[in-house]
């Protein structure tokens, strides 16, 4: 027997054990945790090694190497669609600071002028800011940039300078003064002067160095954009997405104010101008089917002032100005193929409403309906409302699932009050009477222009038993009554017995089939056409006075030219022309697109005496 001394036992090394021997003595849970830790250590080693290798590669790739031009030129070419060249790379670093400094950028066809050029572009930020997508920058500078229409913006763009600045002042008096830095753009958009000021915080890197870090987070930042006579200003809120609250839009005639919030999830907006207030509360989501964008929610107007909506101070005028700026520049005439009607990519379900319609400062009613777009079929469902003391109902649809697209619409207004339409107070006005109207339209076309030029259908207005001043016949100023019957006082009141206007519409030209106004003093008959697509009129109005004293001085009148301001002059060829036998019971209802019942008229309506079935 061999006896080992104590110090020999302590110095004796145990026989080595494998990990497999150890795992035999571990529980299943302990085995799993050990393997998980082993995998974690391996992952850290691999990722860490890749990060160090990548960091080192980015560090050594930076500089002024000529081979770095290729990727940048390819990137510019993808934007413009033309070959690109960079004359000089002054700096191109990635870490620890990302810095791009290039000069002499040009891109365009080989046999033509460049569509994009820039004298110099500088961009500096930290690599970490790019990775974390933080809006922090050390320097942004663009000099002498020129872009043809459609490359960056719908119209041509010239930027003299675009740069971060440590100090600037807002010019809009509605905005609070800003003591800080920002981003400034000075140039020309189309043919209009362009000025952009966006406030940013500017923190010095150190007390000694004249270098700043600019940021767009942590505060509400004022902004100002001026394009010619149009200006935008307000505050950009420090929230997710784009939130402008308040938002001011100004033209020489209009002053719009409100708020707008946009993100990938939806749009919320409320804008007011000229007595009208519009709103939108929409949600957006990507549909899996055909990659459609689904839009749902509510939109419309809280107030719609009919007296100002189309005036220079109205919101429609401002929208028209914005649309003109976003449109293409006027160029030499080119034969371009009009774009086909395409309703793909959208799925809409929006509840539309006008909560209060104003006319003459008074509540004239409300409207509601549902706008739906699915499978390339656009429809306005259940359009209805109480307007002008009457009831409006209708629908419309545009089926673009196959070309040519098919449009159809039907509208009916019954029991509308004439003083309410004219903007007067029905209780105080000497005017009285009501009317009914109907409109049916159909069209087919492969383009929007073709669709608007090919409208077919009918339009009708029937009114009866009312009181009005003779001057109300002067739809275009004092010329009509003065030319028809010079001795008739426009302020004198006359009684309306019946009025019927029936137009057949073909290829967007409305031709009168029946048009007469019968009053106590005279009967007017009109014949001619209105070009709806070009907004032009060519009609002859023939008076038939019922008073003997007026017979010799009544004259036919021709109305022609632009619908908004036509010329009114005597028509020598129609002088003395009679009504052609128009008398009670000669209007055949078979020619009317709407029956008396459709328009809410009973057999005892005053116009019923003028309408009878043909024998």
């Amino acid at each position: 027997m061999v006896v080992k001394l104590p110090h020999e036992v302590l110095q004796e090394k145990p026989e080595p054990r494998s990990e497999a021997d150890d795992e035999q003595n571990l529980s299943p849970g302990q085995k799993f945790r050990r393997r998980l830790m082993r995998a974690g250590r391996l992952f850290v080693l691999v990722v860490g090694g890749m990060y160090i290798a990548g960091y080192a590669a980015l560090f050594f790739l930076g500089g002024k190497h000529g081979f770095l031009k290729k990727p940048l030129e390819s990137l510019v070419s993808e934007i413009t669609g033309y070959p690109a060249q960079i004359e000089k790379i002054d700096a191109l670093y990635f870490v620890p600071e990302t810095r791009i400094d290039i000069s002499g950028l040009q891109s365009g066809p080989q046999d033509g002028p460049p569509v994009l050029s820039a004298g110099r572009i500088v961009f500096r930020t930290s690599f970490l800011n790019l990775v974390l997508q933080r809006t922090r920058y050390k320097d942004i500078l663009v000099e002498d940039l020129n872009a043809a229409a459609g490359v960056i913006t719908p119209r041509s763009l010239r930027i003299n300078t675009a740069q971060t600045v440590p100090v600037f002042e807002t010019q809009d008096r509605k905005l609070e003064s800003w003591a800080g830095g920002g981003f400034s753009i000075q140039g020309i958009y189309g043919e209009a002067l362009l000025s952009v000021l966006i406030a940013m915080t500017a923190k010095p890197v150190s007390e000694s160095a004249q270098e700043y870090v600019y940021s767009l987070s942590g505060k509400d930042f004022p902004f100002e954009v001026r394009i010619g006579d149009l200006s935008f200003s307000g505050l950009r809120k420090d929230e997710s997405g784009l939130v402008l609250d308040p938002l001011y839009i100004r033209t020489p005639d209009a002053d719009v104010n409100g708020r707008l919030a946009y993100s990938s999830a939806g749009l919320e907006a409320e804008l007011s101008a000229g007595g009208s207030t519009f709103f939108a509360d929409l949600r957006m989501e990507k549909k899996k089917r055909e990659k459609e964008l689904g839009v749902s929610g509510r939109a419309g107007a809280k107030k719609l002032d009919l007296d100002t909506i189309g005036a220079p101070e109205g919101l429609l005028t401002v929208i028209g100005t914005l649309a003109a700026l976003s449109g293409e520049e006027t160029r030499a005439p080119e034969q371009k193929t009009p774009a086909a009607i395409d309703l793909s990519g959208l799925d809409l379900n929006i509840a539309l409403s006008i909560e209060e319609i104003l006319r003459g400062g008074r509540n004239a009613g409300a409207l509601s309906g549902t706008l739906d777009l699915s499978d390339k079929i656009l429809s306005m469902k259940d359009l209805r409302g109480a307007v002008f003391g009457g009831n409006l109902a209708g629908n419309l649809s545009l089926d673009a699932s196959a070309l040519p697209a098919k449009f159809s619409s039907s509208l009916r207004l019954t029991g509308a009050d004439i003083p309410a339409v004219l903007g007067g107070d029905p209780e105080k006005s000497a005017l009285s009477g009501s009317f009914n109207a109907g409109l049916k339209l159909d069209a087919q076309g492969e383009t929007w222009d073709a669709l608007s030029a090919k409208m077919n259908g009918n339009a009708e207005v029937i009114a009866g038993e009312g009181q009005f001043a003779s001057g109300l016949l002067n739809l275009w100023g004092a010329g009509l009554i003065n030319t028809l019957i010079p001795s008739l006082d426009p302020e004198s009141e006359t009684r309306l017995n019946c009025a019927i206007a029936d137009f057949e519409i073909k290829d967007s030209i409305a031709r009168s089939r029946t048009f007469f106004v019968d009053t106590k003093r005279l009967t007017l008959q009109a014949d001619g056409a209105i070009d709806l697509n070009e907004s032009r009129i060519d009609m002859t109005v023939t008076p038939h006075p019922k008073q003997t004293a007026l017979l010799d001085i009544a004259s036919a009148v021709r109305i022609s030219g632009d619908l908004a301001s036509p010329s009114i002059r005597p028509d020598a060829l129609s002088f003395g022309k009679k009504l052609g036998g128009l008398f009670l019971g000669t209007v055949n209802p078979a020619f009317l697109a709407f029956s008396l019942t459709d328009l809410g008229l009973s057999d005892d309506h005053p116009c019923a005496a003028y309408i009878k079935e043909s024998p």
Side-chain angles (χ1 to χ4, degrees):
M1 178 177 181
V2 179
V3 178
K4 295 183 178 181
L5 296 176
H7 71 278
E8 293 177 327
V9 175
L10 293 174
Q11 293 176 356
E12 189 177 42
K13 295 181 179 180
E15 295 182 6
R17 293 173 57 88
S18 65
E19 292 187 4
D21 294 332
D22 290 339
E23 289 191 1
Q24 289 180 356
N25 299 323
L26 297 177
S27 66
Q30 291 173 324
K31 292 179 181 179
F32 175 76
R33 286 193 294 272
R34 173 175 285 189
R35 291 171 183 170
L36 186 62
M37 292 177 62
R38 195 180 303 151
R41 288 196 297 269
L42 179 62
F43 177 78
V44 170
L45 287 173
V46 172
V47 173
M50 292 177 62
Y51 178 80
I52 294 172
Y55 191 91
L58 290 174
F59 182 82
F60 288 109
L61 276 176
K64 304 180 181 180
H65 303 295
F67 67 86
L68 293 174
K69 287 185 179 181
K70 282 287 185 182
L72 286 178
E73 290 173 346
S74 298
L75 179 62
V76 175
S77 294
E78 290 181 7
I79 297 173
T80 64
Y82 294 102
Q85 290 183 339
I86 297 175
E87 181 180 336
K88 183 182 179 182
I89 295 181
D90 293 308
L92 183 57
Y93 297 97
F94 301 96
V95 292
E97 177 183 86
T98 300
R99 180 181 177 184
I100 300 173
D101 190 342
I102 62 176
S103 303
L105 169 66
Q106 285 197 353
S107 178
Q110 295 180 353
D111 56 348
V115 298
L116 177 65
S117 65
R120 188 183 181 197
I121 298 176
V122 177
F123 177 80
R124 291 175 60 206
T125 187
S126 73
F127 181 72
L128 190 59
N129 287 337
L130 286 182
V131 173
L132 298 179
Q133 297 183 347
R134 296 187 301 203
T135 55
R136 297 178 184 174
Y137 314 99
K138 287 187 176 179
D139 195 9
I140 300 176
L141 173 65
V142 177
E143 293 179 337
D144 297 328
L145 183 143
N146 290 277
V151 176
I152 299 177
T153 53
R155 295 192 175 189
S156 61
L157 176 67
R158 172 173 175 78
I159 295 179
N160 299 325
T161 58
Q163 60 185 339
T164 47
V165 291
V167 178
F168 84 90
E169 295 182 0
T170 57
Q171 300 178 16
D172 195 325
R173 295 181 179 178
K174 289 190 175 183
L175 302 178
E176 296 182 2
S177 59
W178 175 256
F183 185 65
S184 170
I185 301 176
Q186 303 298 322
I188 299 175
Y189 176 73
E191 298 180 355
L193 291 176
L194 171 67
S195 174
V196 179
L197 296 173
I198 303 174
M200 305 172 74
T201 58
K203 296 181 179 180
V205 176
S206 64
E207 294 183 1
S208 58
Q210 293 296 317
E211 189 176 34
Y212 298 85
V213 174
Y214 301 91
S215 175
L216 272 173
S217 60
K219 291 186 177 182
D220 295 342
F221 297 96
F223 69 91
E224 295 180 7
V225 179
R226 298 180 182 274
I227 307 174
D229 293 331
L230 180 69
S231 70
F232 305 82
S233 61
L235 287 180
R236 179 188 182 276
K237 296 289 185 179
D238 182 31
E239 300 177 16
S240 60
L242 177 65
V243 180
L244 307 179
D245 185 11
L247 170 63
Y248 305 108
I249 306 174
R250 295 185 182 87
T251 69
D253 300 306
D255 192 348
V256 182
N257 62 82
R259 69 180 301 273
L260 182 147
Y262 172 79
S263 69
S264 58
L267 170 70
E268 294 182 10
E270 183 171 311
L271 298 173
S272 299
S276 299
T277 300
F278 292 82
F279 72 91
D281 185 3
L282 304 175
R283 296 293 170 264
M284 297 182 288
E285 61 176 341
K286 282 288 185 181
K287 299 282 187 178
K288 293 183 179 180
R289 182 183 61 180
E290 297 183 3
K291 299 180 180 179
E292 289 182 334
L293 175 63
V295 182
S296 60
R298 301 167 50 250
K302 293 183 178 180
K303 289 185 178 181
L304 179 63
D305 193 330
L306 297 179
D307 297 324
T308 61
I309 186 63
E313 69 272 19
L315 193 56
L316 286 184
T317 304
V318 177
I319 293 174
T321 302
L322 295 175
L325 284 175
S326 62
E328 295 182 358
E329 292 177 286
T330 303
R331 302 178 181 179
E334 297 181 7
Q335 295 297 327
K336 293 185 177 180
T337 303
I341 297 174
D342 185 6
L343 300 181
S344 62
L346 273 179
D347 187 289
L348 304 179
N349 186 262
I350 302 173
L352 300 178
S353 65
I354 302 176
E355 298 174 6
E356 185 179 8
I357 299 174
L358 298 176
R359 183 74 167 100
R362 300 180 179 277
N363 189 341
L367 281 175
S368 65
T370 302
L371 183 66
D372 184 83
L373 173 59
S374 181
D375 297 325
K376 302 180 184 179
I377 300 176
L378 178 69
S379 63
M380 173 72 79
K381 300 177 180 178
D382 302 325
L383 177 62
R384 60 184 66 252
V387 295
F388 304 123
N391 295 302
L392 177 69
N395 56 76
L396 62 86
S397 68
L398 176 61
D399 185 348
S401 58
L403 295 179
K406 299 176 179 63
F407 170 81
S408 65
S409 67
S410 177
L411 293 172
R412 288 185 298 172
L413 176 61
T414 58
D417 190 72
I418 294 177
V421 173
L422 297 175
D425 185 351
E427 297 180 357
K428 299 180 181 180
S429 175
L431 304 174
S432 65
S434 62
F435 71 94
N436 303 270
L439 175 67
K440 288 182 178 180
L441 289 175
D442 297 283
Q444 292 189 26
E446 295 193 359
T447 66
W448 295 106
D449 290 342
L451 203 66
S452 64
K454 293 294 182 181
M455 291 289 176
N456 300 313
N458 300 85
E460 294 168 3
V461 177
I462 298 178
E465 284 195 333
Q467 195 80 12
F468 67 97
S470 301
L472 285 178
L473 294 174
N474 285 328
L475 300 179
W476 298 278
L480 183 57
I481 281 294
N482 291 342
T483 308
L484 283 169
I485 305 175
S487 64
L488 189 61
D489 184 3
E491 299 299 325
S492 64
E493 292 187 1
T494 188
R495 181 171 183 79
L496 173 67
N497 296 322
C498 176
I500 297 178
D502 175 32
F503 286 88
E504 180 183 19
I505 303 171
K506 187 174 182 181
D507 294 337
S508 296
I509 296 178
R511 299 187 182 279
S512 61
R513 293 189 298 192
T514 300
F515 193 124
F516 77 92
V517 178
D518 185 57
T519 72
K520 179 181 179 180
R521 299 186 177 191
L522 76 161
T523 300
L524 298 176
Q525 182 188 26
D527 182 63
I530 300 174
D531 190 329
L532 303 177
N533 200 38
E534 300 294 335
S535 296
R536 298 187 66 81
I537 185 173
D538 187 3
M539 296 193 73
T540 300
V541 180
T542 305
H544 182 71
K546 295 181 179 180
Q547 298 177 8
T548 306
L550 300 176
L551 286 175
D552 294 334
I553 57 175
S555 172
V557 170
R558 186 173 183 182
I559 306 170
S560 61
D562 185 79
L563 189 59
S565 56
S567 67
I568 300 173
R569 62 184 186 277
D571 185 14
L573 296 178
S574 300
F575 184 79
K577 182 179 179 181
K578 301 300 181 183
L579 283 175
L582 181 62
F583 51 86
L584 297 181
T586 60
V587 178
N588 189 344
F591 294 111
L592 300 177
F594 294 90
S595 67
L596 294 179
T597 304
D598 288 335
L599 295 174
L601 304 179
S602 60
D603 291 338
D604 59 355
H605 186 276
C607 286
Y610 293 82
I611 303 173
K612 75 171 185 178
E613 299 290 347
S614 58

